[in-house]
Amino acid sequence: MVINVAKTYEEINEKIRAKKAVVYTAEEVVDLVKKKGVEKAAEEVDVVTTGTFGAMCSSGAFLNFGHADPPIRMTNILLNDVQAYGGLAAVDTYIGATQMVEAPKTGYGGAHVIEDLVAGKRIHLHAWGPGTDCYVRKNIDTYISLDDINEAYLYNPRNIYQNYGVATNTSDRTIHTYMGKLLPKMRNATYSSAGQLSPLLNDPHCDTIGIGTRIFLAGGEGYVSWQGTQFKTTVEEVNGVPVGGSRTMALIGDMKQMDAKYLRGLDITGYGTSLAIGVGVPIPILNKDVMQRCAISDEEIFAEMVDYSLPTGRTPMARYNYAQLRSGTVEYQGKKIRTSSMSSYAGARDVAETLKDWIDNGEFLLNKPCLDLPKEGKLKGLKERSE
Amino acid sequence: MECKYKIEFEEGAAQESVTYILVSEFSLKPNVLKAEIDGDGSGKMLISLKGEEDDIVEGMEKLKSMGFKVTEFEGHITHDMDRCFSCGACVSVCPTRSIYHDKGTWIVKINTGTCIGCGSCLGACSVKAINLVI
């Protein structure tokens, strides 16, 4: 007998509260669906947890330092010699992950400040202001920690890319890119998605993920706050998932809940700094269609290889699935190319398993989105005009 | 057993083939991890030796008697597992495939026995988790 499963958020949350919810990671559920079929699996499973842990450049943190006595309206702000934005109210700022430390220092940036804050380290705050009638002070030089500032929350305009390209280098010299070190003559290729564990590849059309979805963000609870920048829905799909960078999410979460284990300030040779973040999204198994999409495996998810030695016009050269990419070598025109991942599969699995534990223990309830993400999104280029 | 040594020499000592002596007289299986010779004829070699413990000890004594400076070392490459988050960016740039993903856990590991200390991985690591100590 085929039962047309239809669960609600309320029913699933009721089970989570009672510690009776059945939770699988997106990796574990692949075999379950193969073995039991999608209907049975949809009946049995309440939540599938996903995860990813890789570089997400469009990330940063809003901070409020609190007022000193006398107070200052900060317009130039350095945190461990990394510039933070000085165009908000007196002691509010935003520090971006890719902001590099002031020269001559190198190898440190906003991402490292964020990691150090969450790790409980003291951060050197040096700030200047114009000195006004209401904020008489002109500079301050002190040390802050996460505990003694008022608010600290990550607000990341573009995270958890739904799939991404594979990078290689056909030129005669090594190039250093945000996709890592690419050896000459296609001696290696790098990829960055967590594939079958990746959040947006398990709910490719955002049927369950929406604005307000509660997530795992670097060891704390966070939320999907908006569609991410460069959100697009126009990429070709194979097996129901796009073959290249497609949807993205803007994420928000309280840094005071986070664990530095799931954050890494990165210094990517030849590129600059970035922040690696562990992010996990729970997918409620509302019906068998949702279940079917969560059952996607690395063999069914494809990504396109492009030549990063070209400054422009990078057309796809070949298409590989994530099982091939993860095997360590792919073939291109008879030549073997070694592959490297830029995001941590071990980390992605840790995130998905930790989120699963939280739900198993009744500590993490699902939040029904308050607004759907856009069904369509097109990418615009930047026009160069004289006026 | 397998041991690793740093063998340094001055110009005068470079007249004999170290690896030939170790193979022919002590039945050792040497693997030269790295060798550098300076313009003045002095140099150093990092070598991994497989063989019986006694043969390794005697072989090294022989080299010392010939004027070579011999220092045993544990690992010439270090892997800081607190910084490393197993992204794997270093894996495909390693020419000897000494850096690899454990296929069960997907944790990045380094086989120090086959690492030749070329340093190709250093610039590929974005968290500076790998260091060469030679």
Side-chain angles (χ1 to χ4, degrees):
Chain A
M1 186 178 71
V2 177
I3 301 165
N4 191 13
V5 196
K7 289 179 214 165
T8 65
Y9 279 86
E10 291 70 24
E11 284 163 358
I12 294 172
N13 278 337
E14 211 42 60
K15 283 174 122 178
I16 295 173
R17 278 191 209 97
K19 300 186 188 178
K20 284 180 180 160
V22 177
V23 191
Y24 277 76
T25 70
E27 194 180 20
E28 296 164 342
V29 89
V30 174
D31 282 343
L32 182 88
V33 171
K34 263 187 207 145
K35 211 157 62 187
K36 295 198 169 176
V38 66
E39 267 104 3
K40 265 246 168 322
E43 211 178 306
E44 186 181 327
V45 179
D46 298 307
V47 185
V48 167
T49 60
T50 63
T52 184
F53 191 175
M56 305 191 199
C57 298
S58 208
S59 299
F62 281 105
L63 309 173
N64 176 285
F65 300 119
H67 279 292
D69 187 15
I72 175 172
R73 179 166 82 81
M74 300 177 183
T75 52
N76 286 297
I77 304 165
L78 291 177
L79 291 165
N80 281 356
D81 291 326
V82 179
Q83 196 155 50
Y85 187 60
L88 294 170
V91 290
D92 279 343
T93 193
Y94 184 82
I95 180 148
T98 63
Q99 184 73 50
M100 300 279 286
V101 71
E102 304 271 287
K105 292 186 182 173
T106 57
Y108 190 90
H112 299 84
V113 172
I114 290 167
E115 184 192 349
D116 284 346
L117 272 172
V118 172
K121 293 183 186 165
R122 288 231 171 122
I123 303 290
H124 182 205
L125 165 64
H126 201 176
W128 296 263
T132 64
D133 288 345
C134 41
Y135 294 104
V136 295
R137 192 171 192 140
K138 288 191 171 179
N139 68 73
I140 187 162
D141 189 340
T142 183
Y143 284 80
I144 58 155
S145 74
L146 191 61
D147 281 342
D148 51 40
I149 62 177
N150 289 315
E151 287 82 14
Y153 52 95
L154 282 191
Y155 186 89
N156 307 332
R158 183 165 77 252
N159 278 181
I160 56 171
Y161 238 118
Q162 185 177 36
N163 213 346
Y164 210 78
V166 180
T168 193
N169 169 22
T170 64
S171 79
D172 291 336
R173 67 177 186 94
T174 296
I175 58 172
H176 295 276
T177 73
Y178 65 81
M179 288 294 281
K181 182 175 175 178
L182 299 172
L183 301 171
K185 297 180 180 165
M186 305 178 68
R187 293 215 321 265
N188 71 340
T190 58
Y191 61 98
S192 77
S193 173
Q196 63 193 5
L197 268 174
S198 180
L200 296 180
L201 290 173
N202 282 281
D203 183 9
H205 303 124
C206 299
D207 293 328
T208 73
I209 302 170
I211 294 164
T213 294
R214 185 180 292 125
I215 59 166
F216 173 110
L217 186 59
E221 280 185 10
Y223 293 87
V224 173
S225 59
W226 204 249
Q227 66 266 30
T229 53
Q230 296 179 19
F231 183 98
K232 64 176 166 183
T233 59
T234 51
V235 180
E236 181 195 339
E237 291 187 350
V238 173
N239 298 324
V241 296
V243 295
S246 191
R247 292 164 185 81
T248 66
M249 300 285 139
L251 307 179
I252 190 166
D254 181 6
M255 282 167 67
K256 297 194 182 197
Q257 292 180 27
M258 291 178 188
D259 182 344
K261 180 184 162 189
Y262 299 108
L263 291 170
R264 283 291 185 292
L266 307 178
D267 172 25
I268 304 170
T269 306
Y271 170 72
T273 63
S274 184
L275 185 64
I277 315 175
V279 182
V281 178
I283 296 172
I285 304 304
L286 302 173
N287 55 52
K288 71 175 169 54
D289 295 337
V290 174
M291 178 79 276
Q292 182 66 62
R293 287 188 278 270
C294 279
I296 198 157
S297 66
D298 278 343
E299 286 80 7
E300 299 163 297
I301 306 169
F302 287 81
E304 293 179 323
M305 185 166 76
V306 291
D307 181 4
Y308 270 60
S309 71
L310 299 174
T312 180
R314 295 172 185 164
T315 50
M317 305 160 71
R319 206 173 261 187
Y320 302 105
N321 69 44
Y322 279 89
Q324 291 170 315
L325 290 166
R326 228 174 273 295
S327 75
T329 34
V330 292
E331 247 187 66
Y332 180 74
Q333 295 181 348
K335 179 183 158 65
K336 284 203 161 115
I337 306 174
R338 294 177 63 199
T339 56
S340 263
S341 167
M342 295 302 295
S343 79
S344 173
Y345 196 75
R349 197 185 260 173
D350 179 343
V351 167
E353 281 170 1
T354 306
L355 180 55
K356 178 184 161 179
D357 287 346
W358 288 358
I359 299 171
D360 274 338
N361 296 331
E363 295 161 5
F364 185 102
L365 296 175
L366 306 188
N367 203 41
K368 189 176 176 179
C370 58
L371 199 62
D372 284 344
L373 288 157
K375 291 296 165 209
E376 283 178 26
K378 274 187 193 156
L379 203 58
K380 291 175 185 159
L382 176 61
K383 291 188 178 71
E384 294 180 73
R385 297 189 180 108
S386 57
E387 61 176 35
Chain B
M1 69 182 299
E2 185 177 3
C3 292
K4 289 201 222 53
Y5 292 92
K6 178 159 77 172
I7 296 165
E8 291 166 282
F9 56 90
E10 298 299 327
E11 185 187 7
Q15 308 301 323
E16 301 269 3
S17 166
V18 168
T19 48
Y20 179 72
I21 292 168
L22 296 175
V23 173
S24 62
E25 292 182 31
F26 300 95
S27 306
L28 296 173
K29 188 179 173 190
N31 182 18
V32 178
L33 303 175
K34 192 168 191 167
E36 285 172 7
I37 300 171
D38 286 336
D40 65 359
S42 70
K44 68 178 173 190
M45 175 161 76
L46 300 176
I47 196 164
S48 166
L49 293 173
K50 271 187 193 162
E52 296 297 324
E53 191 177 353
D54 289 349
D55 292 333
I56 293 176
V57 172
E58 284 170 29
M60 292 301 102
E61 286 306 318
K62 166 90 180 190
L63 294 188
K64 282 181 200 167
S65 72
M66 290 167 63
F68 290 92
K69 189 183 166 199
V70 176
T71 331
E72 187 174 358
F73 66 92
E74 287 282 317
H76 54 299
I77 184 163
T78 62
H79 186 194
D80 180 350
M81 288 308 291
D82 288 333
R83 284 307 296 160
C84 177
F85 69 113
S86 291
C87 70
C90 51
V91 170
S92 70
V93 300
C94 175
T96 57
R97 297 171 191 251
S98 301
I99 312 183
Y100 60 99
H101 273 116
D102 179 295
K103 292 287 179 194
T105 62
W106 288 96
I107 289 183
V108 168
K109 293 186 171 168
I110 302 180
N111 181 350
T112 57
T114 54
C115 167
I116 56 170
C118 70
S120 175
C121 52
L122 301 182
C125 178
S126 57
V127 291
K128 297 189 174 64
I130 310 175
N131 277 296
L132 283 178
V133 288
I134 45 174

